Amino acid sequence: MNDSVSNRDNVPGPLAGVKVLDLSRILAAPSCTQILGDLGADVIKVERPGSGDDIRTWGPPFLKDDAGNDTTESGYYLSTGRNKRSICIDFSQPEGAELLLQLMGKCDVFVENYKVGGLAKYGLDYDSVKQRYPEMIYCSVTGYGQTGPYAPRPGYDMVAQCLGGLISMVGEEGRPPSKVPIAIDDIMTGMYACVGILAALRHRDQTGVGQQIDLALLDVQLAWLYNQGVNHFIDGQIPKRMGSAHPNIAPYQIYEAQDGYVLLGAANDTQFRKFCAFVGREDLAERPDFKTNRDRVQNRHLVNHEVSQIIATQSVEYWVAEMSKIALTCSKVNNVAEAFEDPQVIAREMKIQMKHPMTERPVDLIASPLNLSETPVSYRQAPPTLGEHTDQVIAEYLGLSQERIKELKTAGVL
């Protein structure tokens, strides 16, 4: 771990002083609240007593203790839990729901990802909360949003990828559709939730008025179709599976070299001519069917045939080194281990270590990509164990005595 990372654990962030009550589980909304926590917000993660967030059990792998045994903390959970404090409240009990409402009164932001209408029976829905706290920023993350015929359905990342068209485009031509191996729509939804919360905070600070942020996994999936979606609007064509090929540029895809795979891209006509000159095939740049990017995209199979034969003659290292010298896009295809060992990734400090109560060894985590010159992100709290901060937060936020907290625990409320 680089010292410059370890020294960022107590730096106030741009959201220092913002208090977030986090009633979310799984990945989409928790990824949002982790970003808010990295930026300095005090994030209170509310979990079910005894079981907690479902993703704590989504393993293996699980964090190992000092004896090498599995703990209760999955890698999946550790990826989303940083910079939060965990408390346990059973809000299905009236006393628990009232405690949660009291905590809301101390917070700026409330984040939840329950099914539409699921919190109304506890008096925790937006309309109820708005009556009590009109300044509250209430972020709701669901599969399909608060309106529409699918609104009551449970929603998950892979369903949104399917309905939103992404999976239809992933994989090789002539092969079945393939899933993206990261729950990317969940993560993108978390990022959009962050943007919405920051905008709502700005509005609240100017007007004193809160609002509900209604985010749907399906909406987000459609929103980030970007060029593929607009391409369809323009020409009416349905995007197909193309493997690693770019839909609007050729050549721009992964090719097989002598000893592995390499990405090569020529994003414009000048770059294609530069590549052809380097490999001694100026004739390719002069072919009428290769002369412009439009020509090359329309004759992609012919371009790829020629480029594939050229790339196969040398090693991955050769192509990466030589293409970099002439400023062409070229990259080795790293596996995950190689990615974190890459010198550029090491220089950017994208792997951090944090102390965790279940092991003496520091836990490796992925850093935030946000680099702010005046208010850097900070790494203050490792992903908490279930209910680790219940006593601390309830006493700090609500002023309850330890005796009263003990009574609530005995009653199963905490």
Side-chain angles (χ1 to χ4, degrees), residues 206-227:
Q206 292 176 321
T207 67
V209 178
Q211 60 185 295
Q212 184 179 27
I213 300 164
D214 171 11
L215 266 173
L217 294 177
L218 180 57
D219 293 350
V220 170
Q221 178 56 72
L222 290 164
W224 68 275
L225 288 178
Y226 273 82
N227 60 299

Side-chain angles (χ1 to χ4, degrees), residues 319-372:
W319 288 117
V320 172
E322 296 304 317
M323 294 298 97
S324 297
K325 290 176 184 176
I326 61 173
L328 285 186
T329 298
C330 190
S331 174
K332 175 187 176 186
V333 179
N334 281 336
N335 61 35
V336 172
E338 291 168 335
F340 283 104
E341 293 164 0
D342 191 283
Q344 177 65 24
V345 175
I346 292 171
R348 298 294 291 178
E349 301 174 357
M350 283 304 299
K351 183 169 78 170
I352 62 170
Q353 293 183 324
M354 298 189 76
K355 294 180 181 178
H356 193 280
M358 288 190 169
T359 174
E360 288 295 321
R361 297 184 301 275
V363 176
D364 291 333
L365 297 173
I366 301 171
S368 168
L370 291 168
N371 291 282
L372 288 75

